[in-house]
Amino acid sequence: MPSHLMILVGVLKLKRVKPWGRNGKDTVEHGFPHQPSALGYSPSLRILAIGTRSGAVKLYGAPGVEFMGLHRENNAVVQIHFLPGQCKLVTLLDDNSLHLWSLKVKGGVSELQEDESFTLRGPPGAAPSATQITVVLPHSSQELLYLGTESGNVFVVQLPSFRVLEDRTIGSDAVLQGLPEETRQRRVFEMVEALQEHPRDPNQILIGYSRGLVIIWDLQGSRVLCHFLSTQQLENVSWQRDGRLIVTCHSDGSHCQWPVSSDTQQPEPLRSSIPYGPFPCKAITKIFWLTTKQGLPFTIFQGGMPRASYGDRHCISVFHNSQQTAFDFTSRVIDFTVLTEADPAAAFDDPYALVVLAEEELVVIDLQMAGWPPVQPPYLASLHCSAITCSHHVSNIPLKLWERVIAAGSRQNAHFSTMKWPIDGGTSLAPPPPQRDLLLTGHEDGTVRFWDASGVCLRLLYRLSTVRVFLTDTDASESLSAQGEEEWPPLRKVGSFDPYSDDPRLGIQKIFLCKYSGYLAVAGTAGQVLVLELNDEAAEHAVEQVEVDLLQDQEGYRWKGHERLAARSGPVRFEPGFQPFVLVQCQPPAVVTSLALHSEWRLVAFGTSHGFGLFDHQQRRQVFVKCTLHPSDQLALEGPLSRVKSLKKSLRQSFRRMRRSRVSSRKHRPAGAPGEVAGTKAERTGLQNMELAPVQRKIEARSAEDSFTGFVRTLYFADTYLRDSSRHCPSLWAGTNGGTVYAFSLRVPPAERRMDELVWAEQAKEIQLMHRAPVVGILVLDGHSVPLPEPLEVAHDLSKSPDMQGSHQLLVVSEEQFKVFTLPKVSAKLKLKLTALEGSRVRRVSVAHFGSCRAEDYGEHHLAVLTNLGDIQVVSLPLLKPQVRYSCIRREDVSGIASCVFTKYGQGFYLISPSEFERFSLSTKWLVEPRCLVDSAKTRNHSRPSNGNSMAPEKAVGRARNSGSQSDGEEKKPGPVMEHALLSDERVLKEIQSTLEGDRGSYGNWRSHQVSVGCSLSNGGGRS
């Protein structure tokens, strides 16, 4: 398959499937929605809906069943309600607009699309509060929507047309006529706080008003059947399943039970209690009263905590029989619901799960198992339980390593319930993924989390903590939390979100995992480099410590930043999993900026803003260090936690660049007398240059005095020809912020003498790029112009042996250009200058393998490049020809650009929020999208989840991948999806499109309010 055609096919698929930006079209987002604002659940569909403050609606069912829609208005979603017995839902935004969404089957998959929108309008001159919606009640007739407002009126709207039935409006005057005389004289009306349908009789609804009045309204007779009046402000209402009891909750932290009878006289409450009294308590904002076959009903409510002592806690309390627990969340509770028996004819509620949407995570509690343990979610992971500081992706994990990681992680999940995931609506149509992928995230609290990134559901497999190696005050905080559980109220911490770090120096900055040997290298903020190996058993041993002086005792330098972390000197007990065996401490303890691990040679290389070093982790000794600090670079000695950049120095450097730019422009001004002819000639010459090289420009040289020139940006191991063309040898390459490339030749003893002889290193080359732009990538190509394989990859028969007969080439990628050198002479061969008309700079570069969809054994290696403008580019190897360019991340999203990581097969991840990864693909063969089908609610089987291990990797991963399908009989218009496409020739587009195999994922056409989510992960010839 020709290179250019293959790449163009990849980008066409990319643009159809992944039109980046906030348009919210077909996309795969991993993690927890940012700033959630509403929760909805359909008992019949068994699907959960989450709305966000940015106007997004996300639906989740069984693992692999996901949908996403985005309102055209950039308004927060306030409420979400599923229509009974239908694949439809209604959303209420904070601009008082209602939106009707439906799940429709097209091309064999379900799509979420917006059908109608509506805003309730009052009569001319009416106050806005007259139609400000506070409560929405979808009626079981499937045709009506009851809307409670701030004015106390209840409007009735017909679906799906959103037509207001004015003759059915329940006005406050009509309600007042049905109340006794003594009740009318009180101000019993204000906003409607609660609307509920009678559990057994659809002709009756309950209306609760904020001032404490609750009525039961007869829809046929348009009259008040009975009323209840409390002395406290009403917050919410729960109606018992048989309709004979109403439970109200109030602003003083109390809840009351009211009997329902045909007597119009106001009854007295059967029971009124303040669970956490007698001291003043906060309001109970929502309550559930749920009956069971055995024992007393469940009482589940939000809030009600003692105001003085626990007013700042975010709690949901569960009372049943003698068991009482107040679940304490580390972030604000947005909403919660309880999963109960879905069959309306059932006599009891029998709740089995509590679902809580907090501001930073989703928590599900098993109400059937003793102790009410949490259920491990297969998706909606709280990625930011501690802030993400770095990430590392490893493709195609060997089965043995995969099983060992899962086994280590399963021991950490003993506190979770064995209940199968209860939100299991819909069906994932995807076959199992073809390979196992890991995404490793480093966090601010010193932890590394291993995620199953094989498909749509990003699932936590294992958690590694490096804190035990160092002396911290973690143990004291744990003892304090244990003491709190014995107090009253019976608080219990739940959830994994914990944004607080014991020490910012613990933060993980670089991760490198060898999937063949099981060695892991982790580097942190205070210059610590840990080398770990996988152990299936718990062990207790001392971690060997080696200190490395990167300044090499140079005089005149004094570190002004943070101190190093104090390491434990004695034996430390480590649980099964990755266990550290050596700690390399850089001095000064600056942030580790680059890391490389070669498990075959048993070497680890590390770099900071002061230099880089090589460490032999088999013999536990330092091989060499190289100081790269420039004499004028004092900022590198201040550290990231205390650095204050000098304004004068920054301005001075800016003026120097401007001066050099003016001098350079005068030097290159065309010779001859100034005049119209000379100007025209220069203009014509400039136009010709632009036509010949549209993506290149003159690169402005940077000064050696610029800050952080010694900052080591990249490290790379290679077995290549460094000294002469007759013998190849191991080598280490390092690139700095000042455009310098260092090459060291290494002598690694053979395996049989590895422990007896020393590893030897000698500097062989030093390359200084003329423009001094930071070096962000180094790569060696073999005799066939193919990148060298990873360590141990050839030994495991997963890669061809590199061609060591022909001449090798060195590719150096700086922020501004790509340059190829011949080896071992290091003479420039060709280069590509990156466009910088808008300040474009390379931020990330990685080699990606693009496989053919037609021929399984054919593939090509090319460069995937991310710039500071958020553009993704593909550059061919070895000719450095730009193949495609696409706008991916907003240029203002600096954190998103900094967090981007490429995979080995042309995919990528970047953070669209602190809690969400966006996934994209540049390859037609590797596409990750949800593909699912939701049946009609009428055919659902109302079965309860049974207890069992639902987190088996085969089940969780097997639903992840799928292939998209084009809607039958409906032609999709690209619209804004292709607005950034570089290919403007329609004939070429059609020709390329005809080469795409399989069905296409349909996408959203925003001009018709449509959001298509019947999507998939397609894996080329082998669907995944």
Side-chain angles (χ1 to χ4, degrees):
M1 187 177 185
S3 171
H4 66 279
L5 183 58
M6 186 276 299
I7 294 296
L8 292 179
V9 168
V11 78
L12 181 61
K13 188 72 173 180
L14 165 70
K15 286 169 182 167
R16 293 188 52 125
V17 173
K18 187 71 191 66
W20 287 298
R22 296 191 68 257
N23 294 346
K25 306 184 179 74
D26 287 13
T27 182
V28 182
E29 295 176 359
H30 299 299
F32 184 76
H34 185 49
Q35 295 181 330
S37 56
L39 175 70
Y41 179 73
S42 171
S44 55
L45 297 177
R46 298 171 78 95
I47 285 182
L48 186 79
I50 296 177
T52 69
R53 288 170 57 183
S54 60
V57 179
K58 300 187 178 185
L59 275 59
Y60 302 92
V65 178
E66 297 184 11
F67 301 91
M68 176 182 170
L70 188 65
H71 295 87
R72 296 180 69 185
E73 302 82 2
N74 190 20
N75 294 91
V77 181
V78 179
Q79 296 181 37
I80 301 176
H81 300 273
F82 282 88
L83 303 187
Q86 300 183 73
C87 295
K88 296 183 178 182
L89 63 150
V90 172
T91 57
L92 172 66
L93 305 188
D94 61 358
D95 64 352
N96 205 42
S97 62
L98 290 166
H99 302 259
L100 179 64
W101 299 79
S102 62
L103 287 168
K104 296 183 178 179
V105 180
K106 291 185 178 180
V109 293
S110 296
E111 298 178 356
L112 178 66
Q113 67 178 35
E114 183 180 352
D115 296 331
E116 297 288 342
S117 61
F118 164 78
T119 300
L120 186 63
R121 306 289 184 187
S129 61
T131 54
Q132 185 67 41
I133 300 172
T134 56
V135 190
V136 178
L137 171 64
H139 195 262
S140 60
S141 64
Q142 304 182 355
E143 297 178 351
L144 299 177
L145 210 60
Y146 289 86
L147 309 176
T149 61
E150 286 186 358
S151 63
N153 297 324
V154 177
F155 295 90
V156 185
V157 174
Q158 189 176 39
L159 293 175
S161 61
F162 279 123
R163 185 169 64 90
V164 180
L165 305 178
E166 297 182 359
D167 57 329
R168 297 195 186 183
T169 300
I170 306 173
S172 54
D173 294 337
V175 174
L176 201 61
Q177 298 300 321
L179 298 178
E181 186 65 32
E182 63 273 12
T183 306
R184 295 184 201 173
Q185 297 175 358
R186 295 178 53 183
R187 287 189 59 194
V188 293
F189 292 104
E190 271 197 359
M191 71 172 63
V192 177
E193 290 284 1
L195 276 178
Q196 289 193 19
E197 185 179 338
H198 193 290
R200 304 294 186 193
D201 186 359
N203 292 317
Q204 296 180 24
I205 64 170
L206 177 149
I207 307 175
Y209 300 92
S210 59
R211 287 192 173 268
L213 174 66
V214 178
I215 67 165
I216 296 179
W217 182 262
D218 181 9
L219 296 176
Q220 288 186 336
S222 298
R223 61 190 181 93
V224 176
L225 295 179
C226 55
H227 75 282
F228 316 92
L229 187 60
S230 62
T231 57
Q232 296 294 329
Q233 180 173 323
L234 180 72
E235 294 289 336
N236 217 315
V237 176
S238 180
W239 207 334
Q240 188 169 285
R241 194 176 187 93
D242 58 8
R244 298 177 180 176
L245 186 72
I246 289 174
V247 180
T248 60
C249 57
H250 303 276
S251 59
D252 63 343
S254 66
H255 60 79
C256 304
Q257 302 172 20
W258 307 83
V260 178
S261 64
S262 57
D263 189 3
T264 57
Q265 296 296 322
Q266 177 191 347
E268 292 297 322
L270 292 176
R271 184 171 176 266
S272 179
S273 66
I274 302 179
Y276 298 118
F279 299 106
C281 295
K282 299 195 73 175
I284 296 179
T285 56
K286 189 174 183 179
I287 191 167
F288 281 88
W289 177 273
L290 304 168
T291 57
T292 59
K293 294 186 181 72
Q294 299 175 348
L296 297 174
F298 272 85
T299 306
I300 305 174
F301 58 87
Q302 177 183 351
M305 302 302 292
R307 187 178 297 274
S309 304
Y310 302 95
D312 59 340
R313 301 294 183 99
H314 313 290
C315 293
I316 291 180
S317 301
V318 181
F319 287 29
H320 179 58
N321 294 336
S322 60
Q323 188 174 358
Q324 301 177 1
T325 300
F327 293 104
D328 188 9
F329 298 85
T330 54
S331 59
R332 183 172 60 93
V333 174
I334 303 297
D335 199 359
F336 77 99
T337 188
V338 183
L339 309 189
T340 64
E341 178 61 54
D343 186 1
F348 299 96
D349 294 297
D350 286 330
Y352 56 88
L354 168 66
V355 180
V356 182
L357 176 65
E359 197 167 33
E360 305 293 350
E361 61 186 327
L362 181 80
V363 178
V364 177
I365 306 294
D366 183 356
L367 297 179
Q368 292 180 318
M369 192 173 177
W372 300 333
V375 182
Q376 186 175 13
Y379 46 73
L380 285 173
S382 182
L383 299 175
H384 64 316
C385 45
S386 175
I388 295 177
T389 50
C390 66
S391 55
H392 175 66
H393 187 275
V394 187
S395 300
N396 206 7
I397 301 294
L399 180 60
K400 185 176 180 180
L401 175 63
W402 185 265
E403 291 175 342
R404 294 177 70 188
V405 170
I406 289 179
S410 62
R411 295 183 177 94
Q412 301 175 339
N413 299 332
H415 65 288
F416 284 114
S417 167
T418 57
M419 172 189 282
K420 291 184 178 180
W421 183 244
I423 305 166
D424 57 358
T427 304
S428 175
L429 305 178
Q435 67 178 32
R436 297 165 292 272
D437 292 348
L438 276 178
L439 179 66
L440 281 65
T441 54
H443 298 264
E444 192 179 41
D445 62 354
T447 60
V448 178
R449 285 171 168 80
F450 290 63
W451 305 91
D452 175 7
S454 307
V456 173
C457 297
L458 195 69
R459 183 170 62 94
L460 180 64
L461 299 180
Y462 168 69
R463 176 182 175 272
L464 165 68
S465 177
T466 63
V467 179
R468 289 182 177 272
V469 181
F470 306 101
L471 294 170
T472 63
D473 56 353
T474 307
D475 299 334
S477 64
E478 289 178 352
S479 62
L480 287 174
S481 62
Q483 293 175 359
E485 292 181 359
E486 300 175 0
E487 301 176 355
W488 178 262
L491 295 172
R492 188 205 300 178
K493 286 281 186 184
V494 288
S496 60
F497 179 72
D498 184 11
Y500 305 106
S501 174
D502 297 315
D503 194 326
R505 296 174 297 174
L506 290 169
I508 305 298
Q509 296 297 329
K510 295 293 176 182
I511 305 170
F512 202 107
L513 171 67
C514 175
K515 61 185 177 183
Y516 304 111
S517 65
Y519 282 111
L520 173 68
V522 173
T525 303
Q528 69 271 28
V529 180
L530 285 168
V531 185
L532 309 93
E533 59 183 344
L534 192 55
N535 191 346
D536 298 329
E537 303 295 333
E540 185 172 353
H541 60 264
V543 179
E544 188 169 340
Q545 303 175 33
V546 179
E547 188 171 305
V548 175
D549 182 17
L550 292 176
L551 294 181
Q552 298 176 310
D553 300 323
Q554 295 191 34
E555 298 181 359
Y557 294 103
R558 186 171 63 87
W559 172 248
K560 304 175 185 177
H562 50 267
E563 296 180 356
R564 58 175 287 182
L565 282 163
R568 298 180 187 270
S569 56
V572 181
R573 182 167 180 81
F574 298 101
E575 59 186 23
F578 284 93
Q579 300 172 353
F581 59 88
V582 65
L583 166 64
V584 181
Q585 179 61 57
C586 299
Q587 289 288 10
V591 175
V592 178
T593 58
S594 55
L595 185 68
L597 174 71
H598 201 292
S599 52
E600 187 175 359
W601 301 338
R602 301 292 195 270
L603 299 175
V604 59
F606 48 87
T608 70
S609 55
H610 307 120
F612 62 96
L614 183 65
F615 185 81
D616 181 353
H617 66 76
Q618 184 166 352
Q619 295 188 5
R620 314 287 203 271
R621 60 173 290 272
Q622 169 187 318
V623 178
F624 78 90
V625 293
K626 171 71 174 178
C627 180
T628 58
L629 195 65
H630 193 274
S632 65
D633 193 0
Q634 292 298 320
L635 287 180
L637 294 169
E638 295 185 8
L641 303 180
S642 61
R643 183 180 302 128
V644 180
K645 191 172 182 181
S646 169
L647 178 61
K648 290 183 179 179
K649 186 169 185 179
S650 178
L651 290 173
R652 191 183 307 121
Q653 292 172 352
S654 300
F655 282 123
R656 284 177 182 172
R657 288 197 185 97
M658 293 170 60
R659 193 179 305 118
R660 286 198 300 267
S661 178
R662 285 197 294 268
V663 171
S664 176
S665 63
R666 283 198 295 268
K667 287 182 179 178
H668 292 84
R669 188 171 296 169
E676 185 177 354
V677 177
T680 306
K681 182 177 180 180
E683 185 178 353
R684 188 184 306 114
T685 304
L687 288 174
Q688 289 175 351
N689 291 336
M690 288 177 62
E691 292 170 0
L692 290 174
V695 297
Q696 299 188 20
R697 65 170 185 97
K698 180 183 179 301
I699 295 179
E700 174 188 318
R702 305 188 185 194
S703 170
E705 297 180 3
D706 287 355
S707 298
F708 298 106
T709 54
F711 184 114
V712 180
R713 294 285 292 266
T714 182
L715 292 165
Y716 178 71
F717 285 106
D719 186 358
T720 186
Y721 298 94
L722 188 57
R723 293 190 172 276
D724 54 61
S725 57
S726 60
R727 290 183 299 115
H728 58 87
C729 66
S731 62
L732 173 65
W733 301 76
T736 71
N737 216 44
T740 305
V741 178
Y742 300 95
F744 282 76
S745 62
L746 309 176
R747 187 183 68 83
V748 181
E752 61 272 12
R753 301 194 305 272
R754 185 64 176 80
M755 289 300 296
D756 301 327
E757 300 180 9
L758 300 180
V759 176
W760 173 85
E762 182 182 7
Q763 183 170 340
K765 306 286 184 185
E766 180 175 338
I767 307 170
Q768 177 62 61
L769 301 180
M770 295 300 293
H771 57 289
R772 298 184 183 275
V775 177
V776 296
I778 298 174
L779 183 67
V780 173
L781 308 177
D782 68 7
H784 291 313
S785 299
V786 175
L788 296 182
E790 296 178 5
L792 297 175
E793 195 172 16
V794 176
H796 286 75
D797 296 327
L798 295 174
S799 175
K800 295 180 181 179
S801 297
D803 178 23
M804 308 303 287
Q805 303 301 321
S807 60
H808 285 196
Q809 301 175 74
L810 170 69
L811 170 63
V812 177
V813 181
S814 72
E815 281 192 355
E816 298 186 358
Q817 74 174 10
F818 304 78
K819 198 164 188 177
V820 175
F821 300 88
T822 59
L823 287 177
K825 292 184 177 180
V826 193
S827 58
K829 185 177 180 181
L830 60 102
K831 63 182 175 181
L832 168 68
K833 300 176 184 178
L834 192 69
T835 296
L837 298 176
E838 301 176 8
S840 182
R841 300 284 188 271
V842 176
R843 285 291 178 259
R844 288 281 186 276
V845 62
S846 177
V847 176
H849 181 268
F850 292 90
S852 171
C853 295
R854 296 183 178 273
E856 286 295 326
D857 58 345
Y858 181 80
E860 297 179 359
H861 290 89
H862 298 285
L863 291 177
V865 182
L866 172 71
T867 71
N868 64 331
L869 302 181
D871 294 338
I872 294 284
Q873 300 190 31
V874 176
V875 178
S876 68
L877 287 176
L879 300 178
L880 300 183
K881 297 295 183 182
Q883 299 296 317
V884 69
R885 176 181 176 183
Y886 194 86
S887 180
C888 171
I889 312 173
R890 291 182 301 110
R891 67 176 65 188
E892 300 84 10
D893 188 3
V894 178
S895 60
I897 294 173
S899 66
C900 183
V901 56
F902 290 108
T903 76
K904 188 177 179 180
Y905 295 100
Q907 299 183 65
F909 300 81
Y910 68 93
L911 288 172
I912 54 174
S913 73
S915 60
E916 290 174 291
F917 271 115
E918 183 86 78
R919 186 171 189 151
F920 60 89
S921 178
L922 295 163
S923 171
T924 57
K925 190 171 182 178
W926 301 98
L927 295 173
V928 179
E929 306 169 276
R931 175 182 172 84
C932 37
L933 180 67
V934 176
D935 299 328
S936 172
K938 298 177 182 178
T939 61
R940 286 295 302 172
N941 181 16
H942 304 296
S943 60
R944 298 161 62 84
S946 59
N947 281 346
N949 187 5
S950 65
M951 298 310 296
E954 292 81 12
K955 292 184 179 180
V957 177
R959 297 170 178 265
R961 304 203 164 187
N962 35 37
S963 61
S965 65
Q966 180 69 19
S967 302
D968 292 342
E970 182 176 345
E971 183 181 356
K972 296 290 185 180
K973 297 181 180 180
V977 177
M978 297 287 292
E979 64 180 344
H980 298 293
L982 298 180
L983 301 172
S984 57
D985 190 333
E986 187 175 351
R987 180 182 57 81
V988 176
L989 284 176
K990 289 182 178 179
E991 181 180 346
I992 295 173
Q993 186 174 351
S994 66
T995 65
L996 294 174
E997 295 183 345
D999 296 330
R1000 271 57 164 191
S1002 52
Y1003 52 87
N1005 187 337
W1006 285 100
R1007 292 172 184 169
S1008 60
H1009 281 219
Q1010 187 168 330
V1011 181
S1012 143
V1013 193
C1015 18
S1016 68
L1017 162 107
S1018 89
N1019 205 19
R1023 299 286 184 194
S1024 65

